[in-house]
Amino acid sequence: MLTTGYQRVQRLLFAPNPWARRAALGGILGLGALFIALFIGIVGPLLALAAAVALVGGLMILADTHWGFVALAAVVYLLPFGSLPVDIGFKPTFLDVALGALFFVWVFRLITGQERAFEASPLGLLVLLFIFMAIFSFARGLTYASANSYFVRRFAEILLGISLFFVAVNTVRTPDELSWVVRWLLLAGWGCALIAVIFYYIPQEWTVAILDRLARFDYPGGFGALRWIEDDPEGTMRAIGTAVDPNVLGGMLILVAGLLAPQLFAARRLLPRWLTALMLLTAVLALYLTYSRSALLGLATSLGLLAVLKYRRLIPLGLVGVLLLFLLPQTQDYVARLMAGLAGEDLATQMRFGEYKDALILISRYPLFGVGFTGVPDIDLYLGVSMLYLIMAENMGIIGLGIFLAVMVGFFAMVFSSWRQGYDPRLEAILLGSAGAVLGALVSGIFDHYWFNLAYPHMTVLFWLHVGLATATILIQRQQAQEPSLALQPVTVPSDAYQALEAPQGAERYTRQTPPT
């Protein structure tokens, strides 16, 4: 029946009579407009717009895997906690949809032979070992506390986030593909910073009204969504953007600024210099407005690495920034809070010290494999600490933490070894920017836990995406370095292959032994 109806519509659309063709086309357009109007009237304009964007985005991802990175960057930076208004036992998040679509298309193309051979990369074995260790620890932790759908879904998101390393390495294999992905990643990060700055400076009532509109996507609304230093509404407000938590926003902006900074001075840039400068200024301002001390230290480390290795002009810019921070009257409260944190005098830092002590007690009782991700076996213990490395040891034990540190040591060893061999300026800026961003994240992880936490799976996605893009850059550079050498190797062709060629009159037949042009 459906086939018959389709054939009738096809005959009408290609009928010899032009009036019949126009009537058929008009009828289809009219029915489509009626359907869209009914859909908007039933679900509302905001949900209808979201559905349209999801439909178009899904078709683009199916057509080209690289659009999946664009969708993922947009979700992670702009709506990281958004959920679909559909309940299927749980509410899928936009992150679930973006990750699922990207992995589905990549695996499907790999199975059907449309994608090139799987590339593990030099780090692949260690990353796989880290994933298997996480799965083992999760399964082992179920003996201490059962897992509901929330834990299972969030843990799956963490695993997909780590596995994104392999997707990046296997789908980003040319300089143009790498530039495409990084360019969109930078633009999405700038959007995140711009939203944070706008939300901070517009009246609070307007910010709350916008967040209330997002409440249908499970975003926190009302004035309770706003954040202040020491949770004091009479004090200084902290920027949150759509990241919900100011510290999480600060971590995201470390990656944005770290990846942007080399583009400002690179010989071959992904974006115009004026736009790059504007984007970097926006990201640094937004990070400052979070009042996240760990993010500030992470950013300083990231830019310091870039300045030492290559981009010396970052040094005077950094000095100007430090002078402004310590001399401007508007920043004195920030400086006082930073100094209090470094001295361990403020309440937040003292609470962190208490968490560190409790975490070390837990790790000492379950040192090898940790207690998993769902709960603790002892009533006097709890799971959670504001440090990436301690929470990883709580979840996966010393063994899991050791594997992660081995991955990071191998990553930076591979980056520095490859960089010293010389790079194309465009690839060099991407490589060093990604490495600086990862180092900044690792430094901020000394004081925060969101890079490996079930509550913030998008941060795991961002971290491993940058590791994967840096690794992909190294593999692309290696391929480019090998191709010219192969092309210049002399090729000996047997003389009998040229016996059919007639030499010029009076000349002897010849044998060619020259490199191909």
Side-chain angles (χ1 to χ4, degrees), residues 334-353:
Y334 191 102
V335 173
R337 187 168 182 267
L338 179 63
M339 294 297 103
L342 293 175
E345 297 174 351
D346 68 325
L347 179 60
T349 305
Q350 292 172 1
M351 291 177 64
R352 274 185 168 85
F353 290 157

Side-chain angles (χ1 to χ4, degrees), residues 1-10:
M1 183 176 178
L2 289 174
T3 304
T4 304
Y6 174 76
Q7 291 174 348
R8 289 178 180 175
V9 172
Q10 191 177 32

Side-chain angles (χ1 to χ4, degrees), residues 461-485:
V461 167
L462 274 176
F463 180 85
W464 288 99
L465 178 58
H466 282 73
V467 174
L469 289 176
T471 306
T473 307
I474 294 171
L475 297 180
I476 292 170
Q477 178 66 18
R478 287 181 182 177
Q479 181 182 4
Q480 286 189 331
Q482 291 173 359
E483 288 175 353
S485 62

Side-chain angles (χ1 to χ4, degrees), residues 7 20 89 102 108 127 130 146 150 152 167 169 185 198 243 252-253 263 279 350 363 392 395 431 440 442 483 499:
Q7 291 174 348
L102 180 58
F108 180 78
V127 176
F130 183 67
S146 60
Y150 171 84
V152 173
V167 181
V169 168
L185 196 64
I198 292 173
M252 297 165 72
L253 295 172
Q263 297 296 324
M279 294 167 67
Q350 292 172 1
I363 295 167
M392 198 173 288
N395 296 143
L431 175 68
L442 293 175
E483 288 175 353
Q499 290 177 357

Side-chain angles (χ1 to χ4, degrees), residues 289-366:
L289 294 176
T290 64
Y291 289 88
S292 171
R293 294 167 291 188
S294 62
L296 183 64
L297 292 176
L299 177 63
T301 305
S302 176
L303 299 183
L305 176 69
L306 297 172
V308 169
L309 291 181
K310 176 72 177 180
Y311 305 100
R312 302 289 191 271
R313 281 182 286 180
L314 282 172
I315 296 176
L317 291 180
L319 292 176
V320 170
V322 171
L323 289 175
L324 291 176
L325 181 66
F326 280 90
L327 296 180
L328 289 178
Q330 297 88 342
T331 61
Q332 295 311 299
D333 291 341
Y334 191 102
V335 173
R337 187 168 182 267
L338 179 63
M339 294 297 103
L342 293 175
E345 297 174 351
D346 68 325
L347 179 60
T349 305
Q350 292 172 1
M351 291 177 64
R352 274 185 168 85
F353 290 157
E355 290 179 356
Y356 297 164
K357 179 181 177 181
D358 295 339
L360 291 174
I361 294 173
L362 187 153
I363 295 167
S364 65
R365 293 186 191 177
Y366 304 91

Side-chain angles (χ1 to χ4, degrees), residues 411-478:
F411 169 74
F412 284 105
M414 188 171 63
V415 167
F416 294 137
S417 174
S418 176
W419 173 70
R420 282 202 296 261
Q421 297 174 12
Y423 258 76
D424 171 87
R426 178 174 56 166
L427 296 182
E428 183 180 42
I430 295 174
L431 175 68
L432 295 182
S434 300
V438 171
L439 180 62
L442 293 175
V443 170
S444 70
I446 298 174
F447 306 101
D448 269 309
H449 55 79
Y450 43 72
W451 297 112
F452 191 75
N453 192 309
L454 295 184
Y456 309 106
H458 65 287
M459 300 300 287
T460 302
V461 167
L462 274 176
F463 180 85
W464 288 99
L465 178 58
H466 282 73
V467 174
L469 289 176
T471 306
T473 307
I474 294 171
L475 297 180
I476 292 170
Q477 178 66 18
R478 287 181 182 177

